[in-house]
Amino acid sequence: MIHLYGFNIAKILFPLITLPYLARVLSVDAYGVVSFVRSVMVYIQLTVDFGFMLSGTKEIVEAGKDKEKISEITSRILFARIILAFVSFAVLLVLSFVLPILARYKTFALLSFFPVFLSVFLFDFVFRGIEKMQVISTRFVIMKSIALVFTFVMIKDDSNLLWIPLLDTIGSFIAVILVAFQLKKNSVIPGLSTFKKAWESIESSFNYFISNLATTAFNAFNTVVIGIVLTTTEVAYWGICMQLVGGIQALYTPIIDGVYPDMVRTKDLRQIRRILYVLVPVISAGCIFTYFFAGKGLAIVGGEDYRAADFLLRWLIPVLFFGFPSMLFGWPTLGAIEKQRTVAATTIAASLLQVVSVFVLIIAGRFSLTTVAIVRGFVELFLLIIRFTLTLKNKKGFTIISGEKNA
């Protein structure tokens, strides 16, 4: 558990250090390119992972201590991910001729694929399944630390842009070597598999992939569409604002992760209410602070060039306000009473609303940073409302509701 929390903290800290630095040393347009390409890579990474982090972990857990079975599962998923990686690269190659930003920065985009490809050989699902989280957290910290140090040393202006994916590749390659030693240490030996078995793994993991794909519509989707329809400067503004919003929302995660196991055990709905009573006023105060100091905060994080995006950060305040309760009524509440499919369905519904709304804005000629931010806040409110409504509808699933045990 300690290693899991350490891993989550590291995932929060490294982007909060790296991206603001890049925003300062790169021009606004170059930072927009970085934000756009990384958002495209989110989808590429999602395709390569294909939900195996969940389905693979489940299979490894079910295999118990059968090393031969674990090695067979690992081999099968490895081959499946390699197939998906080649398919993803082919798609990226086509997109690099079709999408304007990727076409202008083709080398940068293609180099950015290499860290994604190397992730195929990190086998996080194996170490989660055999409960060796320290391997994942250690390799992540080493990988990101190497990239972070060399980022400060090598990247000083736009002329160093190609070093960004190269440094990520170097860090990923070192991580792969470390993971290979750990696999051998734990007697997990990936071998050859067949296309048929690999395809079976892809089919069995499809539902997990769809659920993960729906989640990305809240963040990467907007950035990609902004990069296609608007300018790199506007991509940069969106990217820096969402970095701040994401950093704040990441603070919610330890609370959500912490309350979930207890809710599974007790199913005490009063606990959710107590958390809301304590944190909603705090979040409200933070939102008010963000409204008045949006420009100053952006200037501190990205430099004076980003102060002009203060209007956008203010329009994104509803995402901060509604985000926490919508997360709280998800896995910690509905998930605790065996409504996992319901939680996934609400995420997919909200994501579809996001996608449809964005395309309506484009067709209506109303697509702008402001309207996208408004839609993003509205979708977060929609997600909160449907999850809260479903919680009330399923009150009988909780042991304690409002002071007395539920009959």
Side-chain angles (χ1 to χ4, degrees):
M1 185 63 72
I2 293 175
H3 290 289
L4 179 59
Y5 277 112
F7 179 57
N8 287 332
I9 291 171
K11 286 174 68 177
I12 295 169
L13 287 178
F14 280 105
L16 288 178
I17 297 171
T18 305
L19 293 182
Y21 174 76
L22 292 177
R24 287 181 171 276
V25 299
L26 299 176
S27 67
V28 174
D29 283 342
Y31 184 76
V33 171
V34 173
S35 297
F36 180 80
V37 171
R38 286 190 170 177
S39 294
V40 172
M41 289 304 142
V42 167
Y43 284 96
I44 300 293
Q45 184 73 68
L46 190 69
T47 303
V48 172
D49 289 341
F50 212 80
F52 291 126
M53 187 64 69
L54 295 172
S55 65
T57 299
K58 181 175 180 290
E59 286 193 67
I60 297 294
V61 170
E62 291 173 348
K65 296 183 179 181
D66 187 341
K67 298 295 183 182
E68 186 175 335
K69 179 65 174 175
I70 291 174
S71 294
E72 186 276 326
I73 295 168
T74 304
S75 302
R76 176 162 37 87
I77 292 177
L78 171 62
F79 190 33
R81 295 188 72 191
I82 290 174
I83 293 170
L84 292 167
F86 276 103
V87 172
S88 299
F89 183 74
V91 172
L92 177 62
L93 203 56
V94 173
L95 292 178
S96 68
F97 287 95
V98 175
L99 300 182
I101 294 179
L102 295 186
R104 291 199 304 271
Y105 296 90
K106 192 181 278 84
T107 304
F108 179 80
L110 296 179
L111 285 175
S112 297
F113 175 79
F114 283 96
V116 177
F117 178 73
L118 288 173
S119 71
V120 168
F121 306 97
L122 293 178
F123 303 104
D124 283 0
F125 66 93
V126 175
F127 298 109
R128 284 179 182 268
I130 62 176
E131 297 183 354
K132 297 283 186 180
M133 277 300 300
Q134 68 271 21
V135 175
I136 300 175
S137 56
T138 300
R139 72 90 184 151
F140 181 85
V141 170
I142 292 174
M143 179 175 70
K144 293 301 181 182
S145 295
I146 291 170
L148 177 64
V149 170
F150 281 101
T151 294
F152 290 142
V153 173
M154 303 297 298
I155 301 172
K156 301 299 180 183
D157 53 43
D158 290 4
S159 65
N160 307 131
L161 195 64
L162 294 182
W163 274 106
I164 296 174
L166 287 173
L167 294 175
D168 286 338
T169 301
I170 292 170
S172 297
F173 183 73
I174 293 173
V176 168
I177 295 173
L178 294 173
V179 166
F181 281 114
Q182 288 296 327
L183 284 176
K184 185 176 181 181
K185 182 180 178 180
N186 287 277
S187 302
V188 178
I189 313 297
L192 297 176
S193 186
T194 64
F195 182 84
K196 181 181 179 181
K197 289 183 177 179
W199 184 252
E200 288 173 354
S201 291
I202 292 172
E203 286 184 320
S204 66
S205 194
F206 182 74
N207 288 333
Y208 295 101
F209 168 69
I210 292 298
S211 179
N212 289 339
L213 182 64
T215 304
T216 64
F218 290 115
N219 298 311
F221 174 77
N222 290 326
T223 307
V224 171
V225 177
I226 289 169
I228 295 172
V229 179
L230 304 178
T231 66
T232 50
T233 296
E234 287 165 306
V235 175
Y237 286 169
W238 179 266
I240 199 74
C241 287
M242 288 309 300
Q243 183 62 36
L244 281 173
V245 170
I248 294 171
Q249 287 187 317
L251 299 176
Y252 302 160
T253 303
I255 301 171
I256 300 299
D257 290 345
V259 73
Y260 177 62
D262 199 42
M263 279 295 295
V264 170
R265 185 173 62 255
T266 66
K267 295 177 175 56
D268 184 356
L269 197 56
R270 296 175 305 172
Q271 187 172 185
I272 301 298
R273 186 178 61 187
R274 285 194 295 267
I275 292 171
L276 289 172
Y277 282 164
V278 172
L279 290 183
V280 167
V282 175
I283 293 171
S284 300
C287 290
I288 294 171
F289 180 86
T290 301
Y291 181 86
F292 287 104
F293 295 97
K296 184 68 174 177
L298 287 167
I300 291 172
V301 172
E304 288 296 327
D305 289 341
Y306 291 91
R307 189 184 286 271
D310 59 347
F311 74 96
L312 178 58
L313 186 56
R314 291 192 179 101
W315 278 113
L316 286 168
I317 287 174
V319 179
L320 294 174
F321 183 77
F322 298 125
F324 178 74
S326 71
M327 291 170 66
L328 192 63
F329 284 110
W331 291 110
T333 306
L334 291 169
I337 56 171
E338 304 298 325
K339 296 294 180 180
Q340 293 91 340
R341 289 188 178 181
T342 300
V343 176
T346 59
T347 303
I348 292 171
S351 299
L352 288 174
L353 177 61
Q354 173 85 27
V355 172
V356 171
S357 298
V358 166
F359 281 117
V360 168
L361 290 175
I362 294 172
I363 294 170
R366 298 287 184 178
F367 188 85
S368 68
L369 291 181
T370 299
T371 55
V372 173
I374 291 172
V375 165
R376 181 67 183 83
F378 175 76
V379 169
E380 200 69 58
L381 174 60
F382 170 78
L383 184 61
L384 170 59
I385 290 173
I386 58 175
R387 285 181 172 176
F388 178 70
T389 302
L390 288 168
T391 298
L392 295 179
K393 185 178 178 181
N394 291 279
K395 282 197 301 183
K396 291 183 178 179
F398 297 96
T399 305
I400 305 175
I401 300 175
S402 59
E404 295 184 5
K405 291 190 175 181
N406 186 16

